[in-house]
C-alpha cells in the first residue's frame, strides 16, 4: 500500500481545492455576471500576483518544461522569455483595461471590442476565434492532470478517468463561486507550485551532483551534448526563426482569461503592483528544466519525455516528496484550466448567445454558469482523451488564434480611425491564414502560423479601415475624448462597396 501514498497526497490536494473554492462564494449571488464573472472587482495586489502567476504557469512547468529540456534542450526556455514579456503587457495594458471596464461595465475582451466598434457580430467573431486558443490551453492542462493521475496510480486510473475526475473537481467550485474560486485556489496552488518546484529541483540536483548548485549539470550537458544548449536544440526541429516567432506571437496574445482577471482587480494599482512582481514568479520553471537535464543522463530512453520529472521523483525520491510533486503538477494543471473554462463560458454567454437570442442580463448570468458543463464535457474532455499532439505543440498552435484580437485591441486604445469592417475582416482573414498554416501548410519558412495570420490581419485591418466610415462621434468620445475633433474635422474618404452591415 505504501506505493499509493503519493497518489493519496495528490488526491488530498484536490479535496483541499474543492473546499477552498466552494466556500469562497458563500453568501453571494453567483447568478450575477458581475459577481461570478469578475468577483465584484475586489481583488488586491497579492491575490492578483498569484492569480495571474499561477494561471500562466501550467502543467508545462512540471511536465512540458522538463520534457522539452530532456528531448530538445534549451528551446524549453522560450516559455520563460514570453511569460516575462506578458508581465510587461499586463503592466501596460492591465490598468487601461480595468479603467475602461469599470467605466463602461465590460467584463470580457470581446464586449470591449463590441463597444468600441459598435458591432455585436465583431465581438462574437473575436470571442469564437480567441476561444480556440484558450480551449487548446485548457486541453493541455486537462491532459496534464490525467497524465499525473495515471502515473501516480501506476496506471490504475486510466487517462479518460483522470480527464473526467479533474474536470469534475473543477466544475464543483467553479460553478459555485466563479472568479472568487479561481482566485483563492490559484493563491493556494501558486504557493504550492513555488515550494514544490524548488524543493524537487534542489533535491534532484543534490542527488545527482552532491551539492545544490545547478552549474555542474549545465557543464555536463555542455561537455556531453552541447547541441542541447543551442538552437535548434537536441532534435534539430526548433529553428531560430520558429523559436523567435513563437515568442513573438505569444507577446501579441492578450488572453481573454487575463483580461477578465484584470477586471477582477479592485484598483489600477493592484494590477500594476502584481505585474511588477510577476517575473519573480516565473523562475518557478528553472528548477524543473534542470530536472529535465538530469533525466537525460538518468533515463536515456524514456518513452514519454513529458513524464521524465515525475518518473524520476517516483523512482529516486521519498514517497512524500513524489506525492508533493504530484500535487504540485496537478495544482499547475488545474490553476490554468479553470480560468480558461470560466473565460470561455463568460464570453460565449455574453458575447455570442446573449446578442443572438436577445437574453436579459439575468438570463445570461444564469446560463454563464451552466455553460461550463458543455464546454468541459463536450469540447475539452474528448480532445484531451484523444491527446492529438505533445503538450507544448498544442500550446504553440493556440497562441496563433489568441493573437488575432491584437489589431482590434490596438484600435481600441490608439487608433480612433479603425472601423468595425477593418477589424472584422482582419480577424476573419487572420483566422483563415492561421488555420491554413497550422494544419495544411505548417509554418511556411519556419515562421509561426499565427505571425502569418497577424500580418494578414493587420494589413486588412488598416486598409479596410481607411476605406470605411469610423464609428459614431459618441463612441469616439467615449474611447478617445482628446481626439474626436481631430478625427471628425477631417474629410474621411470611404468606399461604399465595403460598407456592409455587421451589427
Amino acid at each position: 500500500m505504501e506505493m499509493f501514498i503519493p497518489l493519496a497526497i495528490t488526491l488530498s490536494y484536490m479535496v483541499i481545492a474543492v473546499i477552498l473554492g466552494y466556500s469562497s462564494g458563500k453568501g453571494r449571488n453567483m447568478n450575477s455576471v458581475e459577481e461570478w464573472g469578475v468577483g465584484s472587482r475586489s481583488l488586491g495586489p497579492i491575490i492578483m500576483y498569484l492569480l495571474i502567476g499561477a494561471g500562466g504557469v501550467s502543467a508545462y512547468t512540471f511536465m512540458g518544461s522538463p520534457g522539452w529540456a530532456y528531448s530538445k534542450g534549451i528551446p524549453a526556455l522560450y516559455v520563460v522569455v514570453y511569460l516575462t514579456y506578458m508581465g510587461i503587457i499586463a503592466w501596460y495594458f492591465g490598468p487601461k483595461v480595468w479603467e475602461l471596464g469599470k467605466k463602461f461595465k465590460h467584463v470580457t475582451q470581446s464586449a470591449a471590442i463590441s463597444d468600441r466598434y459598435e458591432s455585436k457580430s465583431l465581438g462574437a467573431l473575436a470571442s469564437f476565434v480567441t476561444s480556440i486558443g484558450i480551449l487548446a490551453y485548457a486541453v493541455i492542462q486537462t491532459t496534464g492532470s490525467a497524465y499525473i493521475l495515471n502515473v501516480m496510480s501506476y496506471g490504475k486510473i486510466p487517462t479518460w478517468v483522470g480527464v473526467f475526475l479533474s474536470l469534475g473537481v473543477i466544475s464543483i467550485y467553479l460553478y459555485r463561486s466563479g472568479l472568487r474560486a479561481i482566485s483563492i485556489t490559484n493563491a493556494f496552488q501558486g504557493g504550492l507550485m513555488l515550494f514544490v518546484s524548488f524543493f524537487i529541483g534542489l533535491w534532484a540536483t543534490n542527488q545527482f551532483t552532491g551539492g545544490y548548485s545547478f552549474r555542474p549539470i549545465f557543464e555536463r550537458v555542455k561537455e556531453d551534448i552541447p547541441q542541447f544548449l543551442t538552437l535548434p536544440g537536441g532534435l534539430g526541429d526548433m529553428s531560430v526563426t520558429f523559436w523567435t516567432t513563437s515568442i513573438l506571437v505569444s507577446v501579441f496574445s492578450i488572453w481573454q482569461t487575463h483580461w477578465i482577471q484584470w477586471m477582477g482587480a479592485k484598483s489600477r494599482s493592484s494590477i500594476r503592483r502584481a505585474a511588477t512582481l510577476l517575473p519573480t514568479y516565473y523562475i518557478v520553471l528553472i528548477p524543473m528544466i534542470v530536472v529535465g537535464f538530469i533525466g537525460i543522463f538518468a533515463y536515456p530512453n524514456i518513452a514519454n519525455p513529458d513524464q521524465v520529472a515525475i518518473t524520476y521523483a517516483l523512482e529516486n525520491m521519498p514517497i512524500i516528496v513524489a506525492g508533493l510533486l504530484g500535487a504540485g503538477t496537478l495544482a499547475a494543471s488545474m490553476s490554468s484550466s479553470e480560468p480558461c473554462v470560466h473565460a470561455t463560458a463568460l464570453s460565449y454567454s455574453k458575447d455570442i448567445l446573449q446578442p443572438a437570442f436577445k437574453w436579459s442580463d439575468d438570463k445570461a448570468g444564469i446560463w454563464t454558469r451552466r455553460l461550463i458543463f458543455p464546454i468541459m464535457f463536450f469540447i475539452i474532455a474528448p480532445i484531451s482523451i484523444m491527446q492529438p499532439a505533445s503538450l507544448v505543440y498544442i500550446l504553440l498552435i493556440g497562441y496563433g488564434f489568441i493573437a488575432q484580437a491584437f489589431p482590434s485591441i490596438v484600435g481600441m486604445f490608439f487608433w480612433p480611425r479603425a472601423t468595425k469592417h477593418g477589424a472584422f475582416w482582419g480577424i476573419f482573414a487572420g483566422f483563415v491564414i492561421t488555420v491554413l498554416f497550422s494544419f495544411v501548410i505548417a509554418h511556411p519558412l519556419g515562421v509561426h502560423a499565427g505571425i502569418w495570420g497577424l500580418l494578414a490581419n493587420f494589413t486588412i485591418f488598416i486598409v479596410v479601415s481607411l476605406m470605411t466610415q469610423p464609428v459614431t462621434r459618441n463612441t469616439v468620445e467615449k474611447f478617445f475624448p482628446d481626439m474626436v475633433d481631430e478625427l471628425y474635422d477631417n474629410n474621411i474618404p470611404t468606399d461604399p462597396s465595403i460598407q456592409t452591415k455587421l451589427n
Side-chain angles (χ1 to χ4, degrees), residues 328-366:
T329 308
L330 204 57
S333 303
M334 292 170 61
S335 67
S336 300
S337 176
E338 57 204 33
C340 296
V341 177
H342 171 262
T344 304
L346 190 57
S347 184
Y348 279 5
S349 172
K350 292 294 294 178
D351 304 320
I352 297 178
L353 297 177
Q354 185 175 12
F357 296 106
K358 302 188 185 310
W359 285 349
S360 66
D361 286 342
D362 289 343
K363 188 170 184 178
I366 293 170

Coordinates of all heavy atoms in Angstrom, one line a residue, residues 328-366:
G328 N 1.8 19.2 -6.8 CA 2.2 20.5 -7.5 C 1.9 20.5 -9.0 O 1.4 21.5 -9.5
T329 N 2.0 19.3 -9.6 CA 1.7 19.2 -11.0 C 0.2 19.4 -11.3 O -0.2 20.0 -12.2 CB 2.2 17.9 -11.6 OG1 3.6 17.7 -11.3 CG2 2.0 17.8 -13.1
L330 N -0.5 18.7 -10.4 CA -2.0 18.8 -10.5 C -2.4 20.3 -10.3 O -3.3 20.8 -10.9 CB -2.7 17.9 -9.5 CG -4.1 17.4 -9.9 CD1 -4.1 16.7 -11.3 CD2 -4.6 16.5 -8.8
A331 N -1.8 20.9 -9.3 CA -2.1 22.3 -9.0 C -1.8 23.2 -10.2 O -2.6 24.1 -10.6 CB -1.3 22.8 -7.8
A332 N -0.7 22.9 -10.9 CA -0.3 23.7 -12.0 C -1.4 23.5 -13.1 O -1.8 24.5 -13.8 CB 1.0 23.3 -12.5
S333 N -1.8 22.3 -13.3 CA -2.8 22.0 -14.4 C -4.1 22.7 -14.1 O -4.7 23.3 -15.0 CB -3.0 20.5 -14.5 OG -1.8 19.8 -14.8
M334 N -4.6 22.4 -12.9 CA -6.0 22.9 -12.6 C -6.0 24.5 -12.5 O -7.0 25.1 -12.8 CB -6.4 22.3 -11.3 CG -6.7 20.8 -11.4 SD -7.0 19.9 -9.9 CE -8.4 20.7 -9.3
S335 N -4.9 25.1 -12.0 CA -4.9 26.5 -11.8 C -4.9 27.2 -13.2 O -5.3 28.4 -13.3 CB -3.7 27.0 -11.0 OG -2.5 26.7 -11.8
S336 N -4.5 26.5 -14.2 CA -4.5 27.1 -15.6 C -5.8 26.7 -16.3 O -6.2 27.4 -17.2 CB -3.3 26.7 -16.3 OG -2.1 27.1 -15.7
S337 N -6.3 25.6 -16.0 CA -7.5 25.1 -16.7 C -8.8 25.9 -16.3 O -9.6 26.3 -17.2 CB -7.7 23.6 -16.4 OG -8.9 23.1 -17.0
E338 N -8.9 26.1 -15.0 CA -10.2 26.7 -14.6 C -10.4 28.1 -15.1 O -11.5 28.5 -15.5 CB -10.2 26.7 -13.0 CG -9.1 27.4 -12.3 CD -8.8 26.8 -10.9 OE1 -9.1 25.6 -10.6 OE2 -8.4 27.6 -10.0
P339 N -9.4 29.0 -15.2 CA -9.6 30.3 -15.9 C -10.1 30.2 -17.3 O -10.8 31.0 -17.8 CB -8.3 31.1 -15.8 CG -7.5 30.4 -14.7 CD -8.0 28.9 -14.8
C340 N -9.6 29.2 -18.0 CA -9.9 29.0 -19.4 C -11.4 28.6 -19.6 O -12.1 29.2 -20.4 CB -9.1 27.9 -20.1 SG -7.3 28.3 -20.1
V341 N -11.9 27.7 -18.7 CA -13.3 27.3 -18.8 C -14.2 28.5 -18.4 O -15.2 28.8 -19.0 CB -13.5 26.1 -17.8 CG1 -15.0 25.8 -17.8 CG2 -12.7 24.9 -18.2
H342 N -13.8 29.2 -17.3 CA -14.5 30.3 -16.8 C -14.6 31.4 -17.9 O -15.7 31.9 -18.2 CB -13.8 30.9 -15.6 CG -14.3 32.2 -15.1 ND1 -13.7 33.4 -15.3 CD2 -15.4 32.5 -14.2 CE1 -14.3 34.3 -14.7 NE2 -15.3 33.8 -14.1
A343 N -13.5 31.8 -18.5 CA -13.5 32.9 -19.5 C -14.3 32.5 -20.7 O -15.0 33.3 -21.3 CB -12.0 33.2 -19.9
T344 N -14.2 31.2 -21.2 CA -14.9 30.8 -22.4 C -16.4 30.8 -22.1 O -17.2 31.3 -23.0 CB -14.4 29.4 -22.8 OG1 -13.0 29.4 -23.0 CG2 -15.1 29.0 -24.1
A345 N -16.8 30.3 -21.0 CA -18.3 30.3 -20.6 C -18.8 31.7 -20.6 O -19.9 32.1 -21.1 CB -18.5 29.6 -19.3
L346 N -18.0 32.6 -19.9 CA -18.4 34.0 -19.8 C -18.5 34.7 -21.1 O -19.5 35.4 -21.4 CB -17.4 34.7 -18.9 CG -17.8 36.1 -18.4 CD1 -19.1 36.1 -17.6 CD2 -16.6 36.7 -17.5
S347 N -17.6 34.5 -22.0 CA -17.6 35.2 -23.3 C -18.6 34.6 -24.2 O -19.3 35.3 -24.9 CB -16.2 35.0 -23.9 OG -16.1 35.8 -25.1
Y348 N -18.8 33.3 -24.2 CA -19.8 32.7 -25.1 C -21.2 33.2 -24.7 O -22.0 33.5 -25.5 CB -19.8 31.1 -25.0 CG -18.7 30.5 -25.9 CD1 -17.8 31.2 -26.6 CD2 -18.6 29.1 -26.0 CE1 -16.8 30.6 -27.4 CE2 -17.7 28.5 -26.7 CZ -16.7 29.2 -27.4 OH -15.8 28.6 -28.2
S349 N -21.4 33.3 -23.4 CA -22.7 33.7 -22.9 C -23.0 35.2 -23.2 O -24.0 35.5 -23.8 CB -22.8 33.5 -21.4 OG -24.0 34.0 -20.9
K350 N -22.0 36.0 -22.9 CA -22.2 37.5 -23.0 C -22.0 38.0 -24.4 O -22.7 38.9 -24.8 CB -21.2 38.2 -22.1 CG -21.5 38.0 -20.6 CD -22.9 38.6 -20.2 CE -22.9 40.2 -20.3 NZ -24.2 40.7 -19.9
D351 N -21.1 37.4 -25.2 CA -20.7 37.9 -26.5 C -21.3 37.2 -27.7 O -21.3 37.8 -28.8 CB -19.2 37.9 -26.6 CG -18.5 38.7 -25.4 OD1 -19.0 39.7 -25.0 OD2 -17.5 38.2 -24.9
I352 N -21.8 36.0 -27.5 CA -22.3 35.3 -28.6 C -23.8 35.0 -28.4 O -24.7 35.4 -29.2 CB -21.6 34.0 -28.9 CG1 -20.1 34.2 -29.2 CG2 -22.2 33.2 -30.0 CD1 -19.3 33.0 -29.5
L353 N -24.1 34.3 -27.3 CA -25.5 33.8 -27.1 C -26.5 35.0 -26.7 O -27.6 35.0 -27.2 CB -25.5 32.7 -26.0 CG -24.7 31.5 -26.4 CD1 -24.7 30.4 -25.3 CD2 -25.3 30.8 -27.7
Q354 N -26.0 35.9 -25.8 CA -26.9 36.9 -25.4 C -27.4 37.8 -26.5 O -28.6 38.1 -26.7 CB -26.3 37.8 -24.2 CG -27.3 38.8 -23.7 CD -26.7 39.6 -22.5 OE1 -25.5 39.5 -22.2 NE2 -27.6 40.3 -21.8
P355 N -26.5 38.3 -27.4 CA -26.9 39.1 -28.5 C -27.7 38.3 -29.5 O -28.7 38.8 -30.1 CB -25.6 39.5 -29.2 CG -24.5 39.4 -28.2 CD -25.0 38.3 -27.3
A356 N -27.4 37.0 -29.7 CA -28.1 36.2 -30.7 C -29.5 35.9 -30.3 O -30.4 35.9 -31.1 CB -27.3 34.8 -30.9
F357 N -29.7 35.6 -29.0 CA -31.1 35.2 -28.5 C -31.7 36.3 -27.7 O -32.8 36.1 -27.2 CB -31.0 33.9 -27.7 CG -30.5 32.7 -28.4 CD1 -29.2 32.2 -28.2 CD2 -31.3 32.1 -29.4 CE1 -28.8 31.1 -29.0 CE2 -30.9 31.0 -30.1 CZ -29.6 30.5 -29.9
K358 N -31.1 37.5 -27.7 CA -31.6 38.7 -27.0 C -32.0 38.3 -25.6 O -33.1 38.7 -25.1 CB -32.8 39.2 -27.8 CG -32.5 39.6 -29.2 CD -33.6 40.3 -29.9 CE -33.3 40.6 -31.4 NZ -32.0 41.2 -31.6
W359 N -31.1 37.7 -24.9 CA -31.3 37.3 -23.4 C -31.2 38.6 -22.6 O -30.4 39.5 -22.9 CB -30.2 36.4 -23.0 CG -30.4 35.0 -23.4 CD1 -31.5 34.4 -24.1 CD2 -29.4 33.9 -23.3 NE1 -31.2 33.1 -24.3 CE2 -30.0 32.7 -23.9 CE3 -28.1 33.8 -22.8 CZ2 -29.3 31.5 -24.0 CZ3 -27.4 32.6 -22.9 CH2 -28.0 31.5 -23.4
S360 N -31.9 38.6 -21.5 CA -31.7 39.6 -20.5 C -30.4 39.4 -19.7 O -29.8 38.3 -19.8 CB -32.9 39.6 -19.5 OG -32.8 38.4 -18.7
D361 N -29.9 40.4 -19.0 CA -28.7 40.2 -18.2 C -28.9 39.1 -17.2 O -27.9 38.3 -16.9 CB -28.3 41.5 -17.5 CG -27.8 42.5 -18.5 OD1 -27.4 42.1 -19.6 OD2 -27.7 43.7 -18.1
D362 N -30.1 39.0 -16.6 CA -30.3 37.9 -15.6 C -30.2 36.5 -16.2 O -29.6 35.6 -15.6 CB -31.7 38.1 -14.9 CG -31.7 39.3 -14.0 OD1 -30.6 39.8 -13.6 OD2 -32.8 39.8 -13.7
K363 N -30.8 36.4 -17.4 CA -30.8 35.1 -18.0 C -29.4 34.7 -18.5 O -28.9 33.6 -18.4 CB -31.7 35.1 -19.2 CG -31.9 33.7 -19.8 CD -33.0 33.7 -20.9 CE -33.3 32.2 -21.4 NZ -34.4 32.2 -22.3
A364 N -28.7 35.7 -19.0 CA -27.3 35.5 -19.4 C -26.4 35.1 -18.2 O -25.5 34.2 -18.3 CB -26.7 36.7 -20.1
G365 N -26.7 35.7 -17.0 CA -25.9 35.3 -15.8 C -26.1 33.9 -15.4 O -25.2 33.2 -15.1
I366 N -27.4 33.4 -15.5 CA -27.7 32.0 -15.2 C -27.0 31.1 -16.1 O -26.4 30.1 -15.8 CB -29.2 31.8 -15.1 CG1 -29.8 32.6 -14.0 CG2 -29.5 30.3 -15.0 CD1 -31.3 32.7 -14.0

